[in-house]
Amino acid sequence: MIGNTGIIFIMPTVVVMDVSLSMTRPVSIEGSEEYQRKHLAAHGLTMLFEHMATNYKLEFTALVVFSSLWELMVPFTRDYNTLQEALSNMDDYDKTCLESALVGVCNIVQQEWGGAIPCQVVLVTDGCLGIGRGSLRHSLATQNQRSESNRFPLPFPFPSKLYIMCMANLEELQSTDSLECLERLIDLNNGEGQIFTIDGPLCLKNVQSMFGKLIDLAYTPFHAVLKCGHLTADVQVFPRPEPFVVDEEIDPIPKVINTDLEIVGFIDIADISSPPVLSRHLVLPIALNKEGDEVGTGITDDNEDENSANQIAGKIPNFCVLLHGSLKVEGMVAIVQLGPEWHGMLYSQADSKKKSNLMMSLFEPGPEPLPWLGKMAQLGPISDAKENPYGEDDNKSPFPLQPKNKRSYAQNVTVWIKPSGLQTDVQKILRNARKLPEKTQTFYKELNRLRKAALAFGFLDLLKGVADMLERECTLLPETAHPDAAFQLTHAAQQLKLASTGTSEYAAYDQNITPLHTDFSGSSTERI
């Protein structure tokens, strides 16, 4: 999120907990006290919060409870102790109304993050859809009969993934239409999300297994090895990079970045400028002790054990720290290979005057993601060049590369937004026509410019009209006029009339009308 203090990269989570009466249904577990479904849900969420407290310390999470109404129990926070305490203080309410909960999620996320930050929504329910008005069946049945002001909250008005955690097994959901309705929710969210059910009987172990699948899918840290020659560093990329699907491919296959991130070169910040990127990520060093065990990522925490681990990590030399400092001091970025024909860049991003982070931005896959740099495979070290492309005094740059073909916006195009523009162009041709043969070169230049524009716009009547004007000018030539003038005007009018028919032979866009060679033109045509 762009703010006054810099850029913060987040993917917040909203946990939506069902606290309706159906969640209080008992679950018999042999050899233990009687549990309710809400206890199983709280147990699974506790497992998720503990995992995020260890591996996703930078992430923000909010807790919402709902029945017929919704309530924000814990606003977005990084304090997972507060979230776990809130789980044990939830009350029981009335019937289930999923739509109200989804409306609450929309309001909370938009108020806190706006509509551009991707968010993950974890909906924990038992699969009961409610009864009567406000039930999910009723909401889906009336979805297409609503006004724009009362639209169904899915798809969410922000990038999102909806994960539905059912405190029921598949057989129980299939005995009614609950599973079908929940699948409709995923479909309405543009297919972004997944439904998880308990495998086997309802017990703590199977609930842990279900939440473990969610963690593996959405909350597993992305660990990679950053390489530059013989130097390496174990890093965590946060948030986890999402697979990218290339739209142009006939059979699109999601592209995922390699776990080996190899630096292939360095380039000045001024040369790479501010390129378009798919996503931006923090790159955090992971310190390893001599036995190869993780010590930490260097993220501060209030816990004393974490502080001591971070102190140990701070004393171990790390290439990631060296790279960050070097890029910051030298004002350069590192080009990193993410996969076949896929690159990104590593750079230092200032969060404030005293704090900066090592960031990684992902370019679009392809051999030439940044046109002004040319093809990535053709970039090489300065030492390979015959002379320094930056000059002896570092006062020039080889970039941006000039494109081989002229861009449409870089050419002098003819614009006829107002009638006065068209009138000016026609008058220019007539003025040059009256000064033939001296203005032969200018006359044909303006005539061809108007001809190309008329063909591009499909304005064929204009060509016939200008041809009639030239014929009229020919009849009005004074007796003292040069004989070549009448021949050129007649020739130009005839060519315009042929082009106005639209026949491909005479109306080719790239074809130009050339001056007519006559016995009177003499040296004037030789100059053209």
Side-chain angles (χ1 to χ4, degrees), residues 177-375:
D177 63 343
S178 297
L179 184 62
E180 182 181 344
C181 291
L182 294 176
E183 287 174 343
R184 282 282 308 280
L185 294 182
I186 303 296
D187 293 338
L188 288 173
N189 199 42
N190 300 319
E192 295 291 341
Q194 189 171 327
I195 298 174
F196 294 86
T197 60
I198 296 176
D199 292 333
L202 275 62
C203 62
L204 296 177
K205 181 180 178 181
N206 290 340
V207 169
Q208 287 179 349
S209 175
M210 180 178 69
F211 275 86
K213 293 177 182 177
L214 171 66
I215 290 171
D216 291 340
L217 178 66
Y219 294 99
T220 301
F222 186 85
H223 290 173
V225 178
L226 185 61
K227 297 180 178 180
C228 181
H230 297 294
L231 299 172
T232 61
D234 292 279
V235 296
Q236 177 183 344
V237 179
F238 179 88
R240 184 183 182 89
E242 293 291 325
F244 179 76
V245 179
V246 181
D247 293 335
E248 289 79 9
E249 294 184 359
I250 299 175
D251 296 320
I253 300 174
K255 291 181 177 289
V256 295
I257 73 172
N258 295 338
T259 52
D260 287 339
L261 306 176
E262 186 170 358
I263 295 174
V264 294
F266 299 87
I267 193 169
D268 286 341
I269 289 179
D271 288 335
I272 206 159
S273 189
S274 180
V277 298
L278 297 174
S279 58
R280 298 178 177 89
H281 308 265
L282 274 170
V283 179
L284 305 170
I286 300 174
L288 302 176
N289 59 23
K290 293 181 180 178
E291 287 74 28
D293 298 327
E294 284 188 22
V295 175
T297 57
I299 304 172
T300 58
D301 195 276
D302 295 334
N303 190 289
E304 293 182 2
D305 293 337
E306 291 289 339
N307 286 333
S308 61
N310 290 336
Q311 289 175 2
I312 296 171
K315 295 178 181 179
I316 301 174
N318 193 292
F319 165 62
C320 198
V321 178
L322 171 65
L323 176 67
H324 179 203
S326 302
L327 295 177
K328 183 178 180 181
V329 172
E330 296 295 332
M332 303 187 80
V333 302
I335 303 298
V336 60
Q337 181 99 30
L338 306 174
E341 289 195 340
W342 194 6
H343 294 83
M345 66 176 182
L346 293 162
Y347 56 98
S348 176
Q349 170 69 55
D351 216 19
S352 62
K353 290 183 178 180
K354 295 183 179 180
K355 184 182 178 183
S356 63
N357 301 298
L358 182 62
M359 309 299 305
M360 181 172 70
S361 293
L362 312 186
F363 303 145
E364 281 203 18
E368 195 176 353
L370 309 180
W372 61 92
L373 295 184
K375 292 185 177 180

Side-chain angles (χ1 to χ4, degrees), residues 105-123:
V105 171
C106 290
N107 295 337
I108 294 166
V109 173
Q110 287 186 297
Q111 287 175 10
E112 186 73 25
W113 307 111
I117 301 298
C119 185
Q120 304 196 99
V121 180
V122 180
L123 172 62

Side-chain angles (χ1 to χ4, degrees), residues 70-132:
W70 64 273
E71 178 187 354
L72 178 61
M73 289 282 288
V74 181
F76 285 102
T77 180
R78 288 172 172 166
D79 185 356
Y80 288 95
N81 290 328
T82 303
L83 289 164
Q84 293 188 48
E85 289 173 5
L87 289 176
S88 58
N89 296 327
M90 293 185 298
D91 295 326
D92 303 324
Y93 292 92
D94 50 6
K95 68 174 186 176
T96 304
C97 183
L98 273 170
E99 182 177 351
S100 70
L102 299 176
V103 170
V105 171
C106 290
N107 295 337
I108 294 166
V109 173
Q110 287 186 297
Q111 287 175 10
E112 186 73 25
W113 307 111
I117 301 298
C119 185
Q120 304 196 99
V121 180
V122 180
L123 172 62
V124 184
T125 182
D126 59 347
C128 289
L129 308 180
I131 54 173

Side-chain angles (χ1 to χ4, degrees), residues 31-191:
S32 64
E33 60 182 286
E34 190 176 85
Y35 280 90
Q36 296 177 355
R37 297 190 185 222
K38 69 174 184 178
H39 296 145
L40 296 180
H43 179 76
L45 287 176
T46 299
M47 174 183 168
L48 175 63
F49 291 155
E50 288 176 349
H51 173 82
M52 294 178 71
T54 304
N55 299 284
Y56 273 71
K57 299 175 184 178
L58 297 175
E59 202 53 274
F60 288 91
T61 304
L63 177 62
V64 175
V65 297
F66 77 96
S67 56
S68 59
L69 302 174
W70 64 273
E71 178 187 354
L72 178 61
M73 289 282 288
V74 181
F76 285 102
T77 180
R78 288 172 172 166
D79 185 356
Y80 288 95
N81 290 328
T82 303
L83 289 164
Q84 293 188 48
E85 289 173 5
L87 289 176
S88 58
N89 296 327
M90 293 185 298
D91 295 326
D92 303 324
Y93 292 92
D94 50 6
K95 68 174 186 176
T96 304
C97 183
L98 273 170
E99 182 177 351
S100 70
L102 299 176
V103 170
V105 171
C106 290
N107 295 337
I108 294 166
V109 173
Q110 287 186 297
Q111 287 175 10
E112 186 73 25
W113 307 111
I117 301 298
C119 185
Q120 304 196 99
V121 180
V122 180
L123 172 62
V124 184
T125 182
D126 59 347
C128 289
L129 308 180
I131 54 173
R133 188 177 183 85
S135 67
L136 185 58
R137 291 187 188 90
H138 179 268
S139 297
L140 294 175
T142 59
Q143 175 198 351
N144 298 324
Q145 306 167 8
R146 306 185 182 199
S147 63
E148 184 61 28
S149 59
N150 190 35
R151 62 178 289 273
F152 192 70
L154 291 179
F156 289 120
F158 48 85
S160 65
K161 291 195 175 181
L162 175 62
Y163 299 111
I164 303 177
M165 314 301 292
C166 293
M167 295 297 112
N169 53 40
L170 193 59
E171 291 76 13
E172 184 179 348
L173 295 174
Q174 289 177 334
S175 62
T176 62
D177 63 343
S178 297
L179 184 62
E180 182 181 344
C181 291
L182 294 176
E183 287 174 343
R184 282 282 308 280
L185 294 182
I186 303 296
D187 293 338
L188 288 173
N189 199 42
N190 300 319

